[in-house]
């Protein structure tokens, strides 16, 4: 309320603020008299409530900075590319994840009532959250376990419920001794729902990260069950003869190809493209017919980035030559842009799909695959040095910026990037192909075309 700009404020948490006690309050700048009325939009309050739970000590400074900036720029929170907004959203997201994990991994142990005593059943649990989420999650447990008394102890505070009052305390709680036969119950339950044929270790580890294992009685079964499941799957694979893929000869050809021309000079786009032909950085290459590298002038001012080659592109070895490419070409033509002035490429250079009968069904590349393939995209960016980059779809946006926000938040506006480059985001043409409602499809195609009209102006 005294209008102090963020850079003049140093934030400390109580743990490290000892030296501040005894600080002379009178030296603090006083708010204007009468103090200004401060109002702020509800979306900031919601965001701040989540961010404040994070254990990052910079959260107060970040929120104050955001709040301060909000007074001058009311639409700030909608600017997903803003550094502070993105950082706050990221913190809120990890608080959300921690919240979810706590609701899933708290294991209550019953504390038996004293002999002859009657009353509500009592339970205790120990959990180790990453963030200060106990107060935030407590109402969830109150709703869920309303007919029992419980205490959840954590190193970041505790919560308890006795049927009347939900109490939350910020003090670190001591770890209770919780060994008892309920562990066996959990283990039996977990073993009985475990299906080795459905085992996806990566997904399981993402859902139930190792750090939670020590407080989950069932977790000690996991390594054994994984080992056994792998053995079972291997055995099944050995027994099952599989047919070669109908286009396997193309894979063989690509692998055996001996260059007939002299190798291109090192450090050129042609050399990188040649090297990418034998890329095995991720598993997608196993199924794809060939690497589909970017194409276009090596000094193009504009680079267009899609997601990954589709069925047609995989067979042709060129980007955007299938149905999505047709939509893309039409938009370019209407905007008056010649495709051969652009460098057109994809975030991922191999076609990822699932064989279904004779069809190959497109599968979205995961973030790990996109990160692996970024190795090629970065080299393309470095060598082509485009001034304007068009990201078509969320995968391209992520590959180029690491951002995972809604396209709607960043679409159709030029965004300044490092080295004076400009980024322009639009939807992926395959999204347009998937729209069922005809009216909506028409509208969305028109918007896509308008985006390319904007691209033309930017060019
Ligand atoms: N979709 C893409 O993202 N890229 C292509 O090359 C084709 C379809």
């Amino acid at each position: 309320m005294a209008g102090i700009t963020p850079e003049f404020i140093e934030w400390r948490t109580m743990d490290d603020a000892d030296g501040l006690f005894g600080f002379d309050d009178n030296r603090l700048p006083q708010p204007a008299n009468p103090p200004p009325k401060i109002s702020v939009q509800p979306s900031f309050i919601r965001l701040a409530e989540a961010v404040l739970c994070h254990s990052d000590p910079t959260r107060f400074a970040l929120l104050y900075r955001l709040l301060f900036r909000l007074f001058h720029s009311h639409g700030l929170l909608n600017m997903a590319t803003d550094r502070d907004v993105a950082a706050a959203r990221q913190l809120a997201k990890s608080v959300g994840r921690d919240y979810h994990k706590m609701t899933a991994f708290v294991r209550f142990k019953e504390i038996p009532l004293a002999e002859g005593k009657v009353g509500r059943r009592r339970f205790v649990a120990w959990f180790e959250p990453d963030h200060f989420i106990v107060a935030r999650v407590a109402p969830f447990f109150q709703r869920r376990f309303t007919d029992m008394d419980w205490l959840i102890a954590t190193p970041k505070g505790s919560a308890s419920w006795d049927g009347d009052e939900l109490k939350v305390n910020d003090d670190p709680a001591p770890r209770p001794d919780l060994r008892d036969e309920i562990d066996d119950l959990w283990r039996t339950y977990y073993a009985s729902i475990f299906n080795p044929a459905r085992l996806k270790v990566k997904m399981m580890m993402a859902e139930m990260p190792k750090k939670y294992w020590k407080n989950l009685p069932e977790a000690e079964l996991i390594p054994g069950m994984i080992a056994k499941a792998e053995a079972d799957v291997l055995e099944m694979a050995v027994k099952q003869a599989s047919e070669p893929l109908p286009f396997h000869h193309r894979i063989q050809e690509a692998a055996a190809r001996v260059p007939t021309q002299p190798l291109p000079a090192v450090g050129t786009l042609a050399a990188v493209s040649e090297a990418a032909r034998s890329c095995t950085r991720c598993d997608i290459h196993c199924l794809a017919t060939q690497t589909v590298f970017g194409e276009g002038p090596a000094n193009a001012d504009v680079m267009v980035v899609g997601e990954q080659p589709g069925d047609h592109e995989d067979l042709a070895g060129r980007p955007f030559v299938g149905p999505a490419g047709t939509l893309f070409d039409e938009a370019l033509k209407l905007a008056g842009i010649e495709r051969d002035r652009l460098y057109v490429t994809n975030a991922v250079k191999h076609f990822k799909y699932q064989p279904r009968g004779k069809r190959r069904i497109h599968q979205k590349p995961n973030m790990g695959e996109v990160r692996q393939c970024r190795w090629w995209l970065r080299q393309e960016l470095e060598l082509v040095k485009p001034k304007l980059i068009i990201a078509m779809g969320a995968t391209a946006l992520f590959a180029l910026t690491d951002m995972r926000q809604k396209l709607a938040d960043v679409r159709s506006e030029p965004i300044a990037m490092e080295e004076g480059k400009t980024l322009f985001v639009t939807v992926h043409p395959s999204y347009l192909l998937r729209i069922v409602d005809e009216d909506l499809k028409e509208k969305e195609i028109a918007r896509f075309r308008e985006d390319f009209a904007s691209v033309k102006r930017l060019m």
Side-chain angles (χ1 to χ4, degrees):
M1 286 197 289
I4 307 297
T5 52
E7 60 273 27
F8 289 108
I9 302 188
E10 184 184 342
W11 292 86
R12 301 260 183 101
T13 56
M14 291 302 272
D15 304 338
D16 57 15
D18 286 354
L20 287 181
F21 288 123
F23 185 84
D24 180 3
D25 273 9
N26 291 328
R27 287 179 49 207
L28 287 174
Q30 297 302 309
N33 194 7
K37 200 164 166 274
I38 291 188
S39 62
V40 71
Q41 60 231 62
S43 53
F44 175 77
I45 304 282
R46 282 195 298 275
L47 180 68
E49 279 170 349
V51 171
L52 281 171
C53 295
H54 203 283
S55 46
D56 184 336
T58 66
R59 64 197 183 278
F60 305 105
L62 171 66
L63 285 175
Y64 183 75
R65 202 161 56 238
L66 261 181
L67 181 62
F68 199 86
R69 293 180 58 206
L70 267 175
F71 288 119
H72 304 288
S73 159
H74 293 290
L76 180 63
L77 288 186
N78 298 327
M79 285 176 56
T81 51
D82 179 87
R83 228 169 232 271
D84 289 338
V85 174
R89 285 191 185 178
Q90 202 57 41
L91 296 193
K93 200 166 172 188
S94 46
V95 166
R97 227 177 283 131
D98 207 28
Y99 179 108
H100 168 73
K101 297 291 181 215
M102 183 158 172
T103 60
F105 295 145
V106 159
R107 300 282 181 265
F108 284 108
K109 302 288 178 78
E110 185 158 13
I111 309 296
L113 293 173
E115 275 284 319
K117 268 208 143 190
V118 281
R120 281 160 60 94
R121 295 173 69 195
R122 301 177 307 165
F123 293 80
V124 174
W126 170 252
F127 186 74
E128 294 173 41
D130 288 337
H131 305 298
F132 299 98
I133 53 168
V134 175
R136 198 168 168 84
V137 195
F140 165 88
F141 287 99
Q142 180 192 2
R143 286 191 300 276
R144 182 83 189 272
F145 300 107
T146 193
D147 55 352
M148 63 192 220
D149 290 359
W150 51 258
L151 163 73
I152 304 175
T154 91
K156 293 190 166 64
S158 54
S160 65
W161 168 247
D162 60 5
D164 281 329
E165 197 184 353
L166 180 65
K167 291 191 192 130
V168 180
N169 184 327
D170 287 342
D171 298 332
R175 182 189 185 129
D177 183 0
L178 295 172
R179 276 160 301 167
D180 67 21
E181 69 283 2
I182 292 202
D183 284 1
D184 289 335
L185 210 66
W186 270 112
R187 276 192 279 267
T188 315
Y189 166 72
Y190 192 74
S192 71
I193 59 164
F194 181 79
N195 177 353
R198 292 252 177 108
L199 177 66
K200 292 211 171 68
V201 179
K202 263 199 193 150
M203 218 159 93
M204 192 176 85
M205 300 291 256
E207 270 305 303
M208 196 195 267
K210 259 195 166 155
K211 67 177 177 193
Y212 297 108
W213 287 19
K214 62 179 186 297
N215 294 318
L216 296 174
E218 68 271 31
E220 67 188 45
L221 296 178
I222 296 174
M225 291 196 303
I226 292 177
K228 183 163 170 351
E230 280 174 355
D232 290 351
V233 170
L234 257 178
E235 197 182 309
M236 270 165 53
V238 169
K239 282 188 194 148
Q240 210 175 50
S242 58
E243 297 220 347
L245 293 165
F247 41 86
H248 81 289
H249 61 280
R250 298 194 65 150
I251 304 175
Q252 303 287 331
E253 275 166 24
R257 190 173 32 232
V258 178
T260 49
Q261 313 230 332
L263 284 175
V266 176
T268 61
L269 203 54
V272 178
S273 159
E274 184 59 38
R277 281 172 185 271
S278 40
C279 177
T280 54
R281 293 176 63 84
C282 75
D283 289 345
I284 309 184
H285 79 278
C286 296
L287 276 182
T289 311
Q290 57 190 314
T291 305
V292 179
F293 207 71
E295 64 175 23
N299 60 351
D301 282 338
V302 185
M303 180 181 284
V304 180
V305 184
E307 182 194 72
Q308 62 165 352
D311 186 80
H312 291 75
E313 290 79 13
D314 172 76
L315 296 173
R318 295 185 50 215
F320 286 103
V321 292
T326 306
L327 271 182
F328 171 56
D329 285 344
E330 282 166 3
L332 290 180
K333 196 160 172 216
L334 285 165
I337 302 173
E338 292 155 47
R339 176 161 166 169
D340 52 19
R341 279 184 61 196
L342 313 178
Y343 184 87
V344 179
T345 190
N346 282 301
V348 169
K349 310 289 192 248
H350 278 124
F351 176 34
K352 179 174 178 182
Y353 65 90
Q354 206 160 39
R356 200 171 299 156
K358 290 198 170 149
R359 296 185 60 211
R360 304 191 294 168
I361 309 299
H362 165 276
Q363 280 209 302
K364 208 174 164 56
N366 62 38
M367 277 187 289
E369 289 153 352
V370 175
R371 284 199 183 101
Q372 286 298 334
C373 218
R374 184 148 58 185
W375 201 70
W376 299 113
L377 182 61
R378 285 207 173 121
Q379 297 194 63
E380 288 175 296
L381 285 164
E382 236 157 63
L383 290 163
V384 178
K385 296 192 177 29
K387 299 190 178 94
L388 175 62
I389 304 168
I390 318 298
M392 294 204 294
T395 304
L397 177 65
F398 174 70
L400 289 161
T401 63
D402 247 340
M403 286 178 191
R404 275 186 267 165
Q405 54 237 99
K406 280 203 222 130
L407 282 188
D409 293 345
V410 286
R411 181 178 178 179
S412 308
E413 294 291 341
I415 300 169
M417 289 178 91
E418 74 284 3
E419 295 167 7
K421 291 184 171 56
T422 300
L423 175 69
F424 187 91
V425 182
T426 184
V427 291
H428 192 284
S430 298
Y431 151 74
L432 306 172
L433 293 170
R434 286 194 301 269
I435 300 177
V436 184
D437 182 288
E438 282 305 322
D439 288 342
L440 180 63
K441 187 174 195 141
E442 205 175 298
K443 271 192 207 129
E444 283 295 302
I445 290 181
R447 250 193 102 188
F448 181 67
R449 290 175 175 166
E450 275 164 30
D451 277 347
F452 276 92
S454 306
V455 167
K456 171 72 178 173
R457 285 191 289 277
L458 285 170
M459 284 168 76

